[in-house]
Amino acid sequence: MAGEARGLSLRQFKAILHKDIVMELRTKEMITSMGLYALLTMVIYQVALSQSGTAFDPRNIAAGLLWLAFVFTSMLGLNRSLVHEKDQGCLEALLLSPVDRPVIFFAKAIGNLIFLLIVQVLTIPVFAFLFLQQGSYAGEWWMIPLALLAGAIGISGVGTLLATMSVNTKGKDFVLTVLFVPLMYPLLLAAVSATSAAVLGGDGSVQQFWTGMGMMAGFDAIMLLASFALYEFIVGA
Amino acid sequence: MTEPATIDAAVEVRDLTRTFGARKALDRVTFDLPTGAFLSIFGPNGAGKTTLVKVLTTLTAPSKGTAKVSGFDVVADAVELRSRIGLISHNPLLYPDLSAEENLVFFADMYGVPDAATRVRELLVAVELDHRRLDLVRTFSRGMLQRLSIARALLHRPKVLFLDEPYSGLDPHAVEILDHLIEQIRADHTFVMISHDLVKGLALCSHALILAKGKVVLSAPREELDEAEFAETYRATVGLGVA
Amino acid sequence: MNRNILVLSMLVLGGVLTTVGFIMAFFFTPPVLGPAVTNEVGRILGYQPLFSQKIFYFHVPVALSSFLVFFFTAFYGVRFLMTKEKQYDTRAKIATEVTLMFVILTMATGILWTRFEWGRWWVWEPRLTTYFIMTLLVIAYFVLRNSIEDEERRATYAAVFGIIAFIDAPISFAITRIIPSSVHPVVLRSGGGLTGSQLAAFLIGLFGMLMIAYAIFHTRMREELVHDRLEAVKAALEG
Amino acid sequence: MDPVLEEIYALVVPSLPYVAGAYAILWIALVAYIGMAYSRVGRLEKEIAVLEESLERRGISA
């Protein structure tokens, strides 16, 4: 009985994830909008840094700029991923099926994580190409993907919960931004610190990196647990 | 998964109350519906029709009282209950960017339907959409959507079907198709329908229920109803307005 | 009626205690010595009493009270999710409202102190940053409430967000201290705990502030209850 | 001026506006908030009394 239920949960989890990926591959809505948004952010950065002078080394703020781009693109994507479910009342159809609510949460969160990682992978080379050419990359290369992954996990986990709330409100994307940014503040601070250590290298950078990673891991663990526990209430309301 | 010993009533509602603060969406609603019956629920906007169906489909928990569908309690046996009911709404509840077949396969997975591919094909043939199974749902007409959404609701062979104003926004042709499909599956299912349309709702039903301000104003089998009197009661409740 | 008298006496007592704490702070507690005179290299040459430190005696009680009241937002949020009773939503809402009030006051007093001590209106110092984030979280709570029509959904979402925000606040408190940041100035403070009379003044102020918080909470609660009664009477009149 | 006094004033006076300002903001805000809440309660109760009266006149009990 328990095994049977677990088998069904796994089948449902795969079905939701598969459906999201198929729909995305077909419409390419999220990837193109998020990717374009990231590119446009680069243009804004160019404008912002245009008066900073030749002595200014963009590497010093590279980590911050990268995470800024990720935060805004991810909010765009999160909003999209839940609007799909809401549009034709499909979320209701999901809730009517014999599915455990956490299965929906994990499937949606993993889907969002995948899309966010894809956008990160696409954005980083472009960012490096546009802004980081004059200085050589000083840190350890494996640090970057680790920091990006830890940050993306937190964003997609809590973000899925918040986006499920915000699609049911009057000012969808605005409400998501207002809820998302302050809640994510600790994660972003740690993510920027770790990524910065990876980009800049130097004395103590390894320690700074692991401190940031530890903080992110802690945030991810606590917040994912809370989101997981509270999702049932949100989705049922 | 064992069936309960006795299934006399498909739907069994006792003193069902749903409150939030001072507002009462449902107020001691009590009624029974025998297996195989067709219940039409009438009532003005805000009378509690939608809340009643939400409670019966386990989407909302009751504040007080009990409700059983197909012998399963809406709170204690929610998961078992869900696999025995289907919903046809005025919303198609389908993903526009998936094909007809992908939609059905997806929901078959959600319900854990065994041998999903065969079942999906069988239903597509039954609703005469087999030739369009690879087309995106986005390209479908209202009538086709309605047919597909009936196929979706029937995937897991539910015992009780809930209809949430399925006729709203349909053109006459689509209404005909829907009538025909309901006629076809009428024999093996119990129906609970929310209706705004007095004539249509009364024509289809075997039992009628009028809700107003969350209370049952009238609940009776079709044959015991005097049509003129019924229409009068209905009109009077509409005058009561929103609860 | 009893409750009203209790609330009123708490309010009066809170007012008296905070005033006593205030008077003690200014007239009886010894001043805190801070590094004052520095030479060009930044070495401290002498210490002088810091009058500005007196802000501490009402800044910290308000800050601590705000966090305690915020706890009740989460607490009543949990209660609401368990029971689905509207009264807990109302309580959570009022607790958050009082939190907003106290957090803003904490920020305001903090900013004035920063302005005098460091000569700047705003410094991204961990304590201020945390409170800034907390203010945003509390504002977000009300933005969320205002953007939902359905009463029950509003209550559920607000409860969930209140709980998450309450979990988030200590995390940002910890992270701003642990993550090395190049922005905020290194602050030299003469460490050590509070002396006896300093502690007494501080504690009296703190208890007074908590009583005021209690009184505000219940006054607002009473307002909500009267409001609900009013709606009920109106509904009855309209039949 | 007395040099001792001068030293004392030099300590107190520059920070006085900030300390006084902080304290004033705190108290004005709290008193205003409480006062507003109380006055709203009073107004609501008056409104209720009016309504309850008219209920009685109509012979319905709330």
Side-chain angles (χ1 to χ4, degrees):
Chain A
M1 190 71 196
E4 189 186 308
R6 213 174 307 126
L8 179 58
S9 289
L10 190 63
R11 187 172 165 192
Q12 290 163 334
F13 173 81
K14 282 185 192 157
I16 300 176
L17 193 56
H18 178 251
K19 171 213 65 156
D20 278 348
I21 293 174
V22 167
M23 267 163 58
E24 181 52 37
L25 289 180
R26 192 158 291 157
T27 60
K28 299 181 187 65
E29 222 175 64
M30 254 158 87
I31 297 285
T32 42
S33 59
M34 285 165 84
L36 259 178
Y37 203 92
L39 274 183
L40 294 175
T41 319
M42 301 295 137
V43 177
I44 306 289
Y45 289 165
Q46 192 277 323
V47 176
L49 298 176
S50 61
Q51 302 303 314
S52 55
T54 46
F56 179 77
D57 184 359
R59 279 193 311 153
N60 287 332
I61 57 165
L65 294 182
L66 263 180
W67 278 102
L68 193 74
F70 293 150
V71 166
F72 283 102
T73 50
S74 63
M75 280 194 290
L76 196 73
L78 286 167
N79 200 34
R80 280 282 158 83
S81 90
L82 267 303
V83 167
H84 282 313
E85 301 290 348
K86 196 70 198 163
D87 260 355
Q88 311 277 339
C90 292
L91 192 58
E92 204 185 334
L94 280 188
L95 294 176
L96 273 171
S97 67
V99 58
D100 284 332
R101 278 43 180 155
V103 173
I104 304 181
F105 173 71
F106 278 120
K108 293 304 286 182
I110 300 270
N112 286 327
L113 177 63
I114 292 174
F115 297 134
L116 185 58
L117 288 178
I118 291 175
V119 172
Q120 287 185 338
V121 167
L122 295 178
T123 312
I124 289 206
V126 178
F127 180 80
F129 175 76
L130 293 175
F131 292 102
L132 297 180
Q133 290 209 9
Q134 69 265 55
S136 61
Y137 173 73
E140 307 267 356
W141 70 269
W142 50 265
M143 284 178 171
I144 299 251
L146 230 66
L148 291 179
L149 180 68
I153 289 174
I155 288 181
S156 47
V158 184
T160 303
L161 176 83
L162 296 182
T164 312
M165 281 202 244
S166 67
V167 284
N168 284 315
T169 61
K170 270 184 279 172
K172 293 182 179 55
D173 15 12
F174 165 69
V175 173
L176 181 62
T177 315
V178 171
L179 303 182
F180 187 85
V181 173
L183 269 184
M184 286 300 161
Y185 169 80
L187 182 76
L188 289 176
L189 196 63
V192 169
S193 169
T195 315
S196 198
V199 173
L200 294 174
D203 285 345
S205 71
V206 175
Q207 208 220 320
Q208 186 187 335
F209 173 78
W210 286 115
T211 310
M213 285 300 289
M215 292 288 112
M216 280 197 275
F219 180 93
D220 288 354
I222 295 172
M223 283 309 197
L224 272 180
L225 206 65
S227 307
F228 161 79
L230 293 169
Y231 197 70
E232 180 154 7
F233 296 105
I234 290 300
V235 92
Chain B
M1 300 214 180
T2 48
E3 298 290 329
T6 53
I7 313 176
D8 307 311
V11 181
E12 209 181 319
V13 179
R14 291 282 170 277
D15 285 322
L16 193 67
T17 302
R18 169 82 192 160
T19 53
F20 189 70
R23 208 188 60 217
K24 282 192 173 171
L26 293 175
D27 192 0
R28 279 167 286 138
V29 171
T30 300
F31 68 91
D32 282 315
L33 192 67
T35 305
F38 192 121
L39 173 73
S40 286
I41 304 173
F42 302 98
N45 282 334
K49 302 188 298 285
T50 308
T51 312
L52 177 58
V53 167
K54 278 196 157 182
V55 171
L56 292 180
T57 52
T58 75
L59 292 182
T60 299
S63 308
K64 280 196 202 91
T66 58
K68 285 183 177 176
V69 177
S70 213
F72 291 98
D73 188 273
V74 292
V75 179
D77 318 312
V79 178
E80 283 94 337
L81 199 164
R82 280 185 207 129
S83 56
R84 282 170 178 75
I85 57 169
L87 173 74
I88 301 164
S89 160
H90 46 98
N91 242 343
L93 310 184
L94 296 163
Y95 293 95
D97 291 318
L98 294 182
S99 72
E101 191 172 29
E102 283 167 334
N103 260 297
L104 293 191
V105 169
F106 170 68
F107 282 107
D109 282 337
M110 293 307 290
Y111 281 97
V113 174
D115 198 5
T118 320
R119 177 71 181 150
V120 165
R121 193 59 67 83
E122 183 184 309
L123 275 165
L124 281 170
V125 172
V127 297
E128 293 166 29
L129 283 172
D130 197 36
H131 61 296
R132 299 285 304 256
R133 67 173 187 274
L134 298 179
D135 290 2
L136 293 193
V137 165
R138 170 181 300 294
T139 64
F140 281 20
S141 71
R142 237 1 261 272
M144 289 159 77
L145 276 178
Q146 204 71 4
R147 278 187 273 161
L148 190 60
S149 100
I150 289 173
R152 180 190 50 77
L154 294 177
L155 269 173
H156 53 293
R157 304 174 203 275
K159 298 246 166 21
V160 183
L161 277 176
F162 289 87
L163 310 175
D164 185 359
E165 296 177 22
Y167 288 97
S168 81
L170 288 190
D171 56 66
H173 180 61
V175 168
E176 227 169 84
I177 294 170
L178 185 57
D179 275 344
H180 179 65
L181 277 166
I182 289 178
E183 195 54 49
Q184 277 184 323
I185 54 176
R186 175 86 184 246
D188 345 308
H189 298 85
T190 307
F191 288 83
V192 175
M193 178 168 87
I194 295 181
S195 180
H196 265 322
D197 185 343
L198 192 60
V199 180
K200 189 93 222 166
L202 215 49
L204 283 168
C205 74
S206 70
H207 290 70
L209 181 84
I210 299 183
L211 278 180
K213 291 190 162 188
K215 288 194 179 117
V216 176
V217 178
L218 185 150
S219 166
R222 174 84 171 79
E223 60 269 18
E224 290 171 24
L225 284 176
D226 175 35
E227 218 158 293
E229 201 179 304
F230 181 79
E232 191 49 47
T233 316
Y234 177 70
R235 232 161 274 132
T237 60
V238 173
L240 284 175
V242 176
Chain C
M1 226 48 246
N2 269 337
R3 177 44 80 63
N4 290 347
I5 291 167
L6 176 66
V7 169
L8 201 63
S9 41
M10 284 297 247
L11 185 61
V12 172
L13 197 58
V16 169
L17 280 185
T18 41
T19 312
V20 168
F22 168 72
I23 291 170
M24 280 177 74
F26 281 99
F27 297 104
F28 300 104
T29 63
V32 169
L33 295 176
V37 196
T38 48
N39 61 12
E40 306 82 63
V41 216
R43 184 172 310 140
I44 300 156
L45 298 179
Y47 290 89
Q48 69 173 13
L50 295 169
F51 181 69
S52 65
Q53 183 266 345
K54 300 290 181 206
I55 290 180
F56 166 89
Y57 293 101
F58 42 95
H59 171 72
V60 180
V62 170
L64 288 177
S65 307
S66 76
F67 211 78
L68 190 81
V69 184
F70 200 29
F71 165 77
F72 280 98
T73 299
F75 174 75
Y76 285 128
V78 172
R79 293 290 296 147
F80 174 79
L81 292 179
M82 282 163 63
T83 61
K84 295 277 173 182
E85 275 177 41
K86 194 188 174 188
Q87 57 149 327
Y88 291 116
D89 175 52
T90 311
R91 281 162 188 265
K93 182 184 85 183
I94 295 172
T96 319
E97 202 181 289
V98 178
T99 310
L100 179 63
M101 176 87 186
F102 277 25
V103 166
I104 288 175
L105 287 176
T106 307
M107 295 256 294
T109 47
I111 285 172
L112 283 165
W113 184 82
T114 317
R115 172 68 187 90
F116 178 74
E117 277 295 307
W118 298 337
R120 284 198 255 157
W121 284 109
W122 184 261
V123 177
W124 286 105
E125 179 264 347
R127 211 159 302 152
L128 282 177
T129 310
T130 310
Y131 266 89
F132 184 59
I133 295 299
M134 211 164 132
T135 312
L136 290 179
L137 284 172
V138 174
I139 291 172
Y141 176 92
F142 287 106
V143 170
L144 179 67
R145 286 194 79 96
N146 285 335
S147 62
I148 304 169
E149 296 280 0
D150 183 85
E151 262 192 329
E152 201 176 336
R153 174 176 286 170
R154 184 198 304 149
T156 311
Y157 284 14
V160 167
F161 186 72
I163 295 167
I164 293 244
F166 179 72
I167 299 172
D168 194 69
I171 298 181
S172 51
F173 190 82
I175 283 187
T176 43
R177 275 155 190 77
I178 294 169
I179 296 294
S181 159
S182 54
V183 181
H184 72 83
V186 180
V187 184
L188 286 169
R189 295 266 68 192
S190 50
L194 300 168
T195 63
S197 65
Q198 286 171 335
L199 189 65
F202 167 68
L203 284 180
I204 288 173
L206 177 62
F207 281 118
M209 201 50 81
L210 288 175
M211 284 175 184
I212 290 175
Y214 174 87
I216 292 180
F217 180 85
H218 282 288
T219 311
R220 284 287 291 115
M221 196 64 205
R222 185 171 148 207
E223 188 190 328
E224 294 287 334
L225 290 177
V226 173
H227 184 79
D228 286 351
R229 231 171 81 210
L230 187 68
E231 293 302 313
V233 174
K234 274 183 184 164
L237 267 175
E238 277 151 22
Chain D
M1 201 191 263
D2 185 285
V4 179
L5 271 181
E6 197 170 340
E7 197 177 324
I8 292 171
Y9 291 150
L11 284 177
V12 174
V13 171
S15 63
L16 187 63
Y18 299 101
V19 176
Y23 202 70
I25 288 173
L26 187 84
W27 274 109
I28 290 169
L30 284 178
V31 168
Y33 187 71
I34 295 168
M36 264 153 58
Y38 263 98
S39 81
R40 276 199 304 258
V41 171
R43 210 172 52 225
L44 285 170
E45 269 172 351
K46 231 180 268 170
E47 233 179 287
I48 276 205
V50 171
L51 284 170
E52 270 167 353
E53 213 173 279
S54 62
L55 267 184
E56 252 165 58
R57 223 178 303 123
R58 291 205 212 166
I60 322 165
S61 60

